[in-house]
Amino acid sequence: MTAATHSTLFPQAPDTADAVLDGLDPEQREVATALHGPVCVLAGAGTGKTRAITHRIAYGVRAGILQPSSVLAVTFTNRAAGEMRGRLRQLGAGGVQARTFHSAALRQLQYFWPKAVGGGLPRLIDRKIQLVADAAAACRIRLDRGELRDVTAEIEWSKVTQTVPADYAAAAVKTGRLSPRDPAEIAQLYATYEDLKRDRAVIDFEDVLLLTVAILQDRHDIAEQVRSQYQHFVVDEYQDVSPLQQRLLELWLGERDSLCVVGDASQTIYSFTGATPDHLLDFRTRHPGATVVKLVRDYRSSPQVVHLANGLLSQARGRAADHRLELISQRAPGPEPVYAEYTDEPAEAEGAARRIRDLVASGIPAGEIAILFRTNSQSEIYEQALADAGVPYQLRGAERFFDRPEVRKAGAALRAAARFGANDSLLDDAVDLPSQVRAVLSGEGWTSQPPAGSGAVRERWESLAALVHLAQDFAAAKHGATLGDLVAELDERASAQHAPTVQGVTLASLHSAKGLEWDVVFLVGVAEGMMPITYAKTDEQIEEERRLLYVGVTRAREHLLVSWALSRSPGGRPNRRPSRFLDGLRPGSVATAGRSAGGGPGGIERGIGSSGGTVVRRTSRTPARCRVCGRTLTDAGEMKLMRCEDCPSDMDEGLYERLREWRAVQAQRSGQPAFCVFTDKTLMAIAEAAPDDEGELARIPGVGVRKFNRFGADVLAICAGQEPAGGGEGD
């Protein structure tokens, strides 16, 4: 054997079955040795669930209890299935089938189709969007590209939830889905789509599962043949199974109970595709004798990151929250999560880019850093900031902003308008550059108000809205700029995105980051309206948004930076606030009423009510830390600002000046020095926080109960852009 054989790339297989169990913790070992009857593994983020289930299979095979060819392990992505097969080979358990639900069903369908139906299996189409377009044409319904994607998603959801076209409208109402078109139209398109498939003798991705289910239900001889082949089943990410996948699993099992499922209800973030944690949560009801093992030892994240993750879930509600797991970090202590507030989104992106540049310079590989955001439309500003900072990056789960079809098409329309705009009546009433851009992009689908829903139409609108905002910012920065100048700016921005993709910082949406991890994670845009997203209205939707943030937090091994911007663009009104999910968890905030955010480290603070219930006073249980860099603060002035003196200020300069003018009037009226009203540091803290309500103002250090009762109404009026009522003369 060569030395390479003993490297981490080519580990030696364990010599014996017992050696397979070496290195497992007590709970993982319990999973690995529970080889009989139903087993349910509730595995929190970073607790080694893949390690536990692969060692379970390998131990069973190496001990002679399981035959490799009789085991079918299923998961949801080809990447996860490939990783499972690789680990099993390393453990000396080659021959075990590890596949996705679809690939396992397709193999069976191809094998049994001639016997069950006759002839060859119909051709499987890779993408169904063209067929949906043909169905729309047949129905004389016009759909743009975004609507095609959304209708396609509705058809996919209908099929995985086993909803037929005639039942679509009722099912959409029952589940609270926001249909991209009239439900009756979608039902018609769905029915026509199915007719076209039959006419053309093709099947789609969901048909693979549906047809396999149909054959196993109708042909008991074939079902028995499958069951004689596969006698032991393992299902990973069980919280993500759809009703259709669950039905297929039940048919594979028959009357047997040799099933091991692994999942975490707190990581259910794909309900919009039909996934539901109910099957995981109901497992013990369906299998009363099941062995249930909880994995809570977190080997991925530092205690500080884990504490924040636990705090997020401690405030959750609903059925999944009732089954949350309290993680226990097994790593050495690391830095506290850093919370950063910025005046606007460009400042937030530039701040992240600066920090990342410093981290890379300190020796952290760029590939071990990620920026995670809620929607793909947020990527462009971070792509640009990283490019400006000379930091390589790569996109995951999204096209580069300027490569998106709607952005390319919008660019072409703007270029044409710049050349021939004088002859375009659309621009007759456009008096400046922003209005010209709005007029041009209105022909591409942009509207002043965002569309309802969360699908492709919304993403397309957000891309166009980003161009509208860019035009506004460009015009404000360069007075007299023309449409041609903007087109040149867009070309320059597009060409600046040729950054290497190898060892680059990962830019990803929270959904596409599931299953991944990095040493350093930046969670950006964590503000109300984005987290939770604006269109999350119901309690269930809000809780899924919380779980999505939890998934983001648990991607970090050591460094976690959470940020938000008070306004969208420079000079904008700072009317945003940090996400409600951070209440009681970030320094200076108060836990949601009636909910516990836990105790111990992690920067958790609690609030107590004062007289009348109108004032909330801050009670610190941990050292004050800079909300920008995380350093412990000892200087009284810095503690008022909640940041180091030399850290970037997020202060609204205009608000600060208005507060100073008001303070001068108050000091003159009372015959006292100005600092007796409020010190400069307190005014700066108010201007940085721009409080919207009494609670936010009262929590600012230096305000206090007496000054709040005397000056609070005036200060809040000024922060709201209004004239103070004139209070404060008496006391």
Side-chain angles (χ1 to χ4, degrees), residues 531-545:
M531 180 58 65
I533 199 77
T534 305
Y535 48 76
K537 302 295 186 184
T538 67
D539 290 344
E540 292 79 6
Q541 291 168 339
I542 295 294
E543 288 306 317
E544 182 148 337
E545 292 288 300

Side-chain angles (χ1 to χ4, degrees), residues 41 90 449 570:
V41 183
Q90 293 172 0
Q449 294 298 319

Side-chain angles (χ1 to χ4, degrees), residues 401-426:
F401 180 81
F402 287 102
D403 289 341
R404 296 171 188 165
E406 63 269 19
V407 174
R408 291 201 303 269
K409 190 177 178 185
L414 291 170
R415 188 171 288 104
R419 288 182 180 177
F420 312 112
N423 301 319
D424 191 343
S425 60
L426 191 66

Side-chain angles (χ1 to χ4, degrees), residues 615-634:
V615 179
V616 181
R617 301 182 63 185
R618 181 172 173 270
T619 302
S620 175
R621 295 183 179 272
T622 59
R625 296 183 183 278
C626 174
R627 57 186 168 83
V628 180
C629 70
R631 184 178 69 82
T632 300
L633 302 176
T634 55

Side-chain angles (χ1 to χ4, degrees), residues 130-409:
Q130 182 56 55
L131 206 57
V132 175
D134 293 344
C139 296
R140 300 183 183 277
I141 297 175
R142 292 184 59 121
L143 299 177
D144 63 26
R145 184 177 180 84
E147 289 174 316
L148 277 173
R149 287 170 53 192
D150 286 345
V151 170
T152 300
E154 289 303 292
I155 291 174
E156 291 172 349
W157 173 81
S158 299
K159 298 182 80 164
V160 300
T161 56
Q162 302 179 83
T163 302
V164 298
D167 295 338
Y168 169 79
V173 171
K174 182 178 179 181
T175 57
R177 286 185 76 80
L178 288 173
S179 300
R181 303 277 299 201
D182 181 86
E185 281 189 335
I186 293 180
Q188 181 186 6
L189 289 166
Y190 180 13
T192 305
Y193 168 83
E194 292 296 312
D195 291 340
L196 288 176
K197 281 201 294 94
R198 282 191 291 271
D199 293 343
R200 299 177 186 183
V202 296
I203 60 174
D204 63 25
F205 208 47
E206 289 71 40
D207 289 331
V208 171
L209 299 184
L210 284 164
L211 291 170
T212 305
V213 165
I215 288 175
L216 295 179
Q217 285 181 158
D218 295 342
R219 292 291 300 269
H220 297 291
D221 56 330
I222 293 177
E224 287 305 316
Q225 192 172 342
V226 171
R227 292 165 190 160
S228 66
Q229 169 70 48
Y230 296 115
Q231 299 168 18
H232 308 279
F233 296 86
V234 177
V235 184
D236 193 14
E237 303 288 2
Y238 193 54
Q239 78 278 352
D240 288 334
V241 296
S242 68
L244 180 57
Q245 289 164 332
Q246 175 64 22
R247 181 58 185 144
L248 178 59
L249 178 61
E250 291 167 354
L251 289 166
W252 281 341
L253 272 169
E255 299 299 320
R256 299 164 302 173
D257 63 0
S258 186
L259 171 65
C260 175
V261 300
V262 188
D264 178 11
S266 296
Q267 296 188 68
T268 304
I269 58 174
Y270 299 110
S271 66
F272 59 91
T273 67
T276 171
D278 289 346
H279 305 300
L280 174 68
L281 300 178
D282 292 338
F283 190 84
R284 282 168 286 185
T285 301
R286 296 195 312 274
H287 304 279
T291 298
V292 179
V293 183
K294 295 182 180 181
L295 303 183
V296 296
R297 301 174 195 252
D298 188 317
Y299 297 95
R300 174 190 299 156
S301 302
S302 70
Q304 287 74 15
V305 172
V306 166
H307 185 69
L308 176 57
N310 286 336
L312 278 172
L313 292 188
S314 73
Q315 301 183 40
R317 302 176 182 180
R319 193 172 183 222
D322 292 339
H323 294 79
R324 61 181 177 265
L325 299 169
E326 188 85 7
L327 300 178
I328 305 171
S329 176
Q330 305 299 298
R331 294 189 50 161
E336 296 284 351
V338 174
Y339 300 88
E341 187 173 90
Y342 294 89
T343 53
D344 51 66
E345 290 178 1
E348 184 180 9
E350 290 164 8
R354 283 196 305 270
R355 287 173 177 271
I356 290 172
R357 184 182 58 199
D358 294 342
L359 289 168
V360 172
S362 72
I364 296 179
E368 285 298 339
I369 303 173
I371 297 177
L372 305 182
F373 35 74
R374 176 61 180 84
T375 68
N376 288 331
S377 65
Q378 296 170 269
S379 71
E380 189 269 341
I381 194 170
Y382 290 93
E383 294 172 47
Q384 187 62 47
L386 291 173
D388 291 345
V391 177
Y393 66 88
Q394 55 187 331
L395 287 171
R396 178 180 179 85
E399 301 157 306
R400 290 178 183 270
F401 180 81
F402 287 102
D403 289 341
R404 296 171 188 165
E406 63 269 19
V407 174
R408 291 201 303 269
K409 190 177 178 185

